[in-house]
Amino acid sequence: MYEQFSHSLLNEILDKLKPEIRKQDLHHFYTRLGANFYSLFLIFEQLYGQRDDFNEHLLYLVETMARQYIKRPRNLRRSDLAREKDFNWFLDQKWVGMTLYADGFADNLKGVQAKLAYLQELGVNLVHIMPILKCPKGASDGGYAVSDFRKINDKIGTLENVKNLAKEMKQREMLLTLDVVVNHVSDEHEWAQKARSGDPRYQDYFYCFENRKIPDMFEQTLPEIFPDQAPGNFTWDETMHKWVMTVFNTYQWDLNYSNPAVFIEMLDVLLFWANQGVDILRLDAVAFLWKKIGSTSQNEYEAHKLLQLFKDCCQITAPGVVFIAEAIVAPVEIVKYFGEDAINAKECEIAYNATLMALLWDAVATKNAKLLTQGIKNLPDKLERATWLNYIRCHDDIGLGFTNEDIAQAGYEPRSHREFIINYFAGKFENSSARGLLFAHNKKNNDARISGTLTSLIGLEKALEENDPEKIDIIIQHILLLHSIIFSFGGIPLIYYGDELGTINDYSYIEDISKANDSRWAHRPRIDWEQAMRRKQPGTVEYKIFNALKKMIAIRKKVSEFSDFNNRKLLEISNPQLLAYVRFNIKTRKSVLVVGNFDAHPQYLNLFELETQGFQTGEHIRDLYSGNTPTLFKDQLVLPPYRFYWLAGN
């Protein structure tokens, strides 16, 4: 009944398409539209079916997709067809990513293009460039307060620079990832300005209220994202004489997705960037897309429906493009952004493995893998055609996003353990070499998040100050251990720019009034390319880290067991200082044992424990990274401090 109705409605829509659309070659578009329309229609009806103008908006939605398909360059249409045929292309172990700020990495987009050879030297073939869209010079939230979705920040470059970069990256078989902020806009955006001028159409693009009655109802259950710098979730706009919802910062106006015009506008933006040659779109703040009184307005059912709708529409117009869900939420919630009750991802194909990141930092502080193993054990399975972004650190702060239940099961008291982790990375303990900075510190409950580069948090900054070669080398081994996990865990490893060179905290942000109150700028460095040249000088820190990661990446790309097809088995072992799991190839039945020692002292792994869990050892076992046979003693595998092995069995 409903399928018949939706198809008859589709026929009506196609008949109403404007002549300039109908006369175009839309063969593949029509095929995909027909295949996806029933799902698209059901979701659109769930969200907007109660509106009198439902059919009008549905027609406009199809027209928007058709217009962007017509604009899609022929080379991208060919890429779409190839990726539809090889639909698991992004699950391959060959992909290794780096996330970077264009200005911090190489001044601008032209500079990034000039440094593609450097990235390829390391082995990186997926590049996520942090926000580059036009935003206000002052209140920009690091580029996440967008004032024009189709223009580039003047300091970063031009739209033509993006096209040139995308073109060369395709020639080099590299993937380009860019951000689109889907939850909010800058108060300087055209839509916000029209709303301020009194235009009711654009006031309906946001959550605007004449008095505090409804905002106060929202505030009863809405958490505060930035309690210190932007308390509350509503801001009084003096020009408009209304309260507007601003969940993040006062200058970031939340979009009202209960209005279908907003959804179609943002879809048009996503497809615009897909047509510029972007391979992966990172959708920022997706957990916040739907607002409800009486809830936290995060992870709502309708937010997931919006993402499904974005995905359905993108599969019709630009099916070669995949989505990253920027949802830093609890483990049980994060997998929902792949899509529930499905085999293949029906929302976003890629999601940040924020839980693994937080667990790795816990292991750094505790010098054991108890909570790390426990957290991985309870990490929900992903869908088959979906994958993780595994990372050690990113542009943002580090939050302790593991559950109290996991902490307790690992043998710790949750509150005191969280305080220990925060204090450890703030360098408040005598035996802590960390040079971390607190972010969003809540003095009421002593909760906080953590800023700082990988190298400063792990102790390299202090070791360099002390000029202690032995300590420097052991910390470099610690850095490599963390990378060995994200490279082998299953998913796309994402290196944060500067980590490959051992870049330490940049404290100059304190002197900039627009950044001084945001400690996250300490780990958003400007690359010193003279320092980077030391990667070619044996004996330097830069040489040791860069070339070790280069080697690790090259080996990863050759190991088919590291592709991501839910082919990981966590091992139960008796030594709590060690993490161990097996990656296996479903077709060849070959396997690789990944084992890491998170302790500052040598540790041992009983080989019998491995054999009872299916990993067979023998005379020919070897470490894929070093190429050597690992050290064995009395049927035990010996792991030096912070050592990892990628062991291939018989």
Side-chain angles (χ1 to χ4, degrees), residues 417-456:
H417 186 72
R418 291 181 184 279
E419 288 186 1
F420 161 75
I421 298 298
I422 291 168
N423 290 332
Y424 177 90
F425 287 112
K428 295 182 179 180
F429 295 127
E430 189 175 329
N431 64 340
S432 171
S433 298
R435 291 286 177 83
L437 305 163
L438 298 185
F439 176 76
H441 184 207
N442 189 330
K443 295 179 181 179
K444 296 177 183 177
N445 58 13
N446 203 33
D447 188 25
R449 304 199 287 273
I450 302 157
S451 296
T453 63
L454 161 61
T455 44
S456 291

Side-chain angles (χ1 to χ4, degrees), residues 497-517:
Y497 80 120
D499 285 357
E500 79 282 9
L501 298 169
T503 304
I504 62 174
N505 284 348
D506 178 4
Y507 299 103
S508 65
Y509 78 95
I510 298 173
E511 301 166 8
D512 185 334
I513 192 170
S514 67
K515 300 176 180 177
N517 292 324

Side-chain angles (χ1 to χ4, degrees), residues 183-349:
N183 179 69
H184 48 259
V185 300
S186 163
D187 60 359
E188 294 187 16
H189 192 282
E190 178 187 12
W191 301 340
Q193 291 299 309
K194 288 182 176 179
R196 274 189 171 133
S197 71
D199 188 330
R201 176 190 172 191
Y202 286 97
Q203 288 187 358
D204 195 33
Y205 274 37
F206 306 99
Y207 294 90
C208 302
F209 305 99
E210 294 182 352
N211 56 54
R212 287 288 309 190
K213 185 176 181 179
I214 293 178
D216 285 344
M217 292 181 187
F218 270 110
E219 291 286 18
Q220 290 179 25
T221 53
L222 287 180
E224 293 179 313
I225 304 300
F226 299 127
D228 290 337
Q229 63 196 60
N233 292 276
F234 291 85
T235 300
W236 175 256
D237 187 80
E238 192 61 45
T239 303
M240 190 168 55
H241 288 286
K242 289 187 177 182
W243 292 94
V244 61
M245 181 176 279
T246 55
V247 167
F248 284 82
N249 286 292
T250 57
Y251 50 83
Q252 289 168 301
W253 288 19
D254 285 60
L255 290 168
N256 174 18
Y257 277 95
S258 64
N259 178 356
V262 170
F263 174 84
I264 297 171
E265 291 266 27
M266 291 308 300
L267 173 66
D268 198 40
V269 168
L270 294 178
L271 297 179
F272 170 83
W273 285 107
N275 282 351
Q276 309 313 308
V278 178
D279 300 283
I280 304 173
L281 288 168
R282 177 184 178 274
L283 310 186
D284 187 73
V286 293
F288 299 84
L289 293 182
W290 197 268
K291 310 301 193 293
K292 284 183 180 178
I293 293 175
S295 77
T296 62
S297 294
Q298 294 183 38
N299 307 310
E300 296 293 341
Y301 170 83
E302 291 85 353
H304 289 284
K305 289 300 176 184
L306 287 168
L307 290 173
Q308 288 182 42
L309 197 54
F310 277 134
K311 176 47 57 181
D312 281 345
C313 294
C314 191
Q315 284 179 332
I316 292 167
T317 307
V321 174
V322 298
F323 292 166
I324 296 175
E326 192 276 324
I328 310 304
V329 295
V332 70
E333 293 292 342
I334 185 61
V335 293
K336 295 179 183 179
Y337 288 91
F338 295 130
E340 290 191 277
D341 303 321
I343 297 174
N344 297 327
K346 61 182 182 181
E347 294 184 24
C348 298
E349 293 91 341

